[in-house]
Amino acid sequence: KYPKHIAIDGPAASGKSTVAEIVAHQIGYLFFDTGVMYRAVTLASLQRLNGVNDEKAVSDLAEAIDIDVRPPSVQDERKYDVLVDGVDVTWDIRKPEVDANVSRVSAYAGVRKAMTAQQRKIGERGQVVMVGRDIGTVVLPDAELKVFLDASVEERARRRYDEVQHRNQPEPYEQILQAMKKRDEIDSTRDLAPLCPADDAHILNTEGMTIQQVVDAILAFLR
Ligand code: C5P
């Protein structure tokens, strides 16, 4: 009786993946975070092409690499394992270097084409909560429930700052804020599948809301 697809979009650190994982768990759906795929292509490009400037090379790499997301094999706060050609990159894709380059990579047409095709295939199975920037607009435009999460960039940067504090390489707040502003700007102004709510999305401003409150709001949309 739940919709086949639930699409959750929003800017960086809007709480999408945390909330979507809880919602998916509660209703027995698969949780799939599409940002992981763009991050994986970015990391692979940095490692193998020494940079992300060559659009053709990056697009070819996006077609060629095998990105696998599966249940966590290690208990270290991870929500899932991310493997690129069999190598565990779960934490490597969260590095500042990837943050700084991912928006560039995700604006390439060839990269989006390859990733969107794989995401639709995952969506075909149904019973999925899919998270990203363009799920409600491009990847699963027929999703029966679409939610767009938002919050001020300052609050989102604060959330990210708190999140990375206890990791090996914590970043200063100012640096996180500036990087996030830049990523928002590129993601929202690109030609292809820019970050924006679908016409039929429920827009939820999560400023000052707890994770549980956001989860409850989404569960209420389901009823
Ligand atoms: O959600 P996350 O912050 O991990 O996404 C990383 C980047 O991947 C975004 O800043 C965006 O450039 C790109 N992305 C995208 N489309 C999606 C998901 C992520 O372009 N559906």
Side-chain angles (χ1 to χ4, degrees):
K1 52 191 171 5
Y2 293 128
K4 186 176 176 195
H5 301 119
I6 299 173
I8 301 187
D9 291 300
S14 52
K16 307 178 297 284
S17 56
T18 304
V19 162
E21 192 200 14
I22 298 171
V23 169
H25 184 76
Q26 292 209 358
I27 63 173
Y29 271 36
L30 174 77
F31 158 62
F32 193 81
D33 180 0
T34 60
V36 161
M37 303 184 75
Y38 293 96
R39 289 174 177 276
V41 174
T42 305
L43 179 71
S45 302
L46 292 169
Q47 290 173 337
R48 303 185 203 176
L49 307 171
N50 48 103
V52 302
N53 290 335
D54 185 341
E55 175 166 0
K56 168 89 170 65
V58 172
S59 300
D60 287 349
L61 189 60
E63 287 278 358
I65 61 172
D66 175 47
I67 305 168
D68 190 14
V69 186
R70 48 162 102 143
S73 63
V74 188
Q75 292 208 320
D76 63 353
E77 293 183 22
R78 64 178 61 186
K79 297 185 176 79
Y80 35 64
D81 284 357
V82 182
L83 289 91
V84 170
D85 293 333
V87 178
D88 188 325
V89 296
T90 312
W91 291 117
D92 291 340
I93 61 167
R94 301 287 159 192
K95 286 181 182 166
E97 202 189 2
V98 172
D99 276 5
N101 289 282
V102 67
S103 291
R104 180 115 210 248
V105 167
S106 67
Y108 292 153
V111 172
R112 297 213 73 81
K113 188 164 164 250
M115 299 301 111
T116 301
Q118 292 184 38
Q119 291 157 14
R120 287 192 177 133
K121 202 166 274 172
I122 291 161
E124 271 169 21
R125 299 180 221 149
Q127 302 209 314
V128 59
V129 181
M130 201 175 283
V131 172
R133 301 288 184 291
D134 62 339
I135 310 306
T137 51
V138 175
V139 179
L140 302 173
D142 297 328
E144 297 91 337
L145 177 64
K146 302 178 183 177
V147 181
F148 189 90
L149 298 183
D150 212 349
S152 70
V153 70
E154 288 79 14
E155 166 137 351
R156 291 185 286 112
R158 214 156 32 237
R159 290 177 188 168
R160 177 59 50 83
Y161 174 78
D162 291 342
E163 187 187 316
V164 301
Q165 265 323 288
H166 56 281
R167 286 196 198 150
N168 284 339
Q169 294 163 305
E171 270 185 275
Y173 171 81
E174 238 349 273
Q175 197 172 307
I176 292 178
L177 178 67
Q178 292 317 321
M180 204 167 270
K181 280 185 178 168
K182 193 161 171 215
R183 191 142 66 92
D184 283 353
E185 158 80 18
I186 303 176
D187 289 346
S188 337
T189 57
R190 69 186 176 211
D191 290 337
L192 284 167
L195 169 67
C196 81
D199 291 336
D200 51 350
H202 297 274
I203 298 178
L204 208 57
N205 187 332
T206 68
E207 195 87 19
M209 283 173 84
T210 63
I211 290 167
Q212 190 57 48
Q213 287 171 328
V214 181
V215 168
D216 289 343
I218 295 175
L219 291 175
F221 292 141
L222 278 173
R223 286 183 209 117

